[in-house]
Amino acid sequence: MQNIGIILYTQGNNYKNLTKCLESLSDFKDNIMVVCDGQLPRLDIINDYNCVEFRKTDHFAGCVNHGLRHFIKTDVEHIFIINDNIMVLDSAVFDEFIKVNDYTNLDFIVDGNSDKKRLTVELKDDYSVTLVSEFDGYISYLNKNTVKKVGFLDERYRTTFELLDYYKRSADAGITTPFGWFATVGGMDVNIYKQTNSPNFEHKQFSKDGVEDRIIRGMKVFKLKFKAMVNELTNIFSQKDVVNKMKNIASRK
């Protein structure tokens, strides 16, 4: 598959997950940049991939932004952000994200939580898009146009809230659905397997003791930027508003 770039984010502390993830993406070696938030593990398989390590920890946004800066300088049009805790069982998942982009002009799309389905919108050519109230964040799609209009991920966050923030900014830019009505693709559970997390060692920057601090920081940054908490922004638009906005985006040439 040509014209795609895959940014694979890893913290380098789960050898099994990283290995299985890379094995599932072996057909895309030339399309992948592995960004390691810490020291890269000594695994033979990573020698076949373009890898960058941030030993002092750059957190999710900083690592992903490095990949984005790389791919926007290339001919790549479709960019995927993936965590190392997934296995891609069928590469058709990439086609599905791109198809949603082609059919709807939505330039930022996420992995949907099927239990949180909120609305199904039928657009042109009898094509339907599912909207959910929550997403998991293990795979996201953005068209290169997104980076041009929205910019990069906000590096003030610390591996929490980055993608929520980016969706809000993309929605405000009019290139995806309203915040809280997150656009996704169908059949994710068939094409993606989420691996269990059994790390080889505890990453010093991402210990369980620090989770609460990172979440609180994320909430503060989000509220500072948007003058509201996440839950206060999820019901601003009615279903009718959402459908109309999607139709307007889809009608653009």
Side-chain angles (χ1 to χ4, degrees), residues 148-205:
K148 294 178 180 178
K149 290 193 174 183
V150 182
F152 298 94
L153 275 65
D154 191 331
E155 297 184 22
R156 288 177 291 178
Y157 295 100
R158 292 292 181 265
T159 316
T160 56
F161 284 77
E162 291 93 340
L163 292 176
L164 278 171
D165 176 286
Y166 205 72
Y167 206 106
K168 178 68 170 66
R169 290 157 55 199
S170 298
D172 291 346
I175 61 173
T176 195
T177 54
F179 187 84
W181 302 79
F182 305 114
T184 188
V185 302
M188 290 290 293
D189 295 340
V190 177
N191 296 327
I192 294 291
Y193 174 72
K194 191 171 183 181
Q195 305 183 79
T196 56
N197 187 29
S198 300
N200 297 80
F201 62 91
E202 189 176 80
H203 194 300
K204 62 181 180 180
Q205 293 293 332

Side-chain angles (χ1 to χ4, degrees), residues 6-92:
I6 299 172
I7 302 168
L8 173 55
Y9 174 79
T10 179
Q11 293 174 0
N13 65 337
N14 194 316
Y15 304 163
K16 181 179 179 180
N17 280 7
L18 178 57
T19 299
K20 293 294 184 183
C21 180
L22 288 173
E23 287 176 348
S24 75
L25 294 167
S26 60
D27 291 339
F28 299 93
K29 289 179 181 179
D30 295 336
N31 306 76
I32 295 175
M33 171 175 280
V34 179
V35 286
C36 184
D37 210 356
Q39 187 171 350
L40 276 166
R42 295 182 178 179
L43 301 172
D44 290 339
I45 191 170
I46 66 175
N47 295 330
D48 296 328
Y49 292 85
N50 179 13
C51 300
V52 179
E53 62 180 0
F54 300 90
R55 293 196 177 192
K56 294 183 179 180
T57 302
D58 209 26
H59 295 282
F60 180 80
C63 292
V64 169
N65 284 343
H66 183 88
L68 291 177
R69 291 188 178 96
H70 167 75
F71 283 120
I72 62 173
K73 295 177 182 178
T74 69
D75 294 332
V76 164
E77 181 180 358
H78 307 287
I79 303 173
F80 293 87
I81 304 169
I82 293 178
N83 284 348
D84 70 353
N85 65 330
I86 68 164
M87 293 174 62
V88 177
L89 303 179
D90 190 336
S91 61

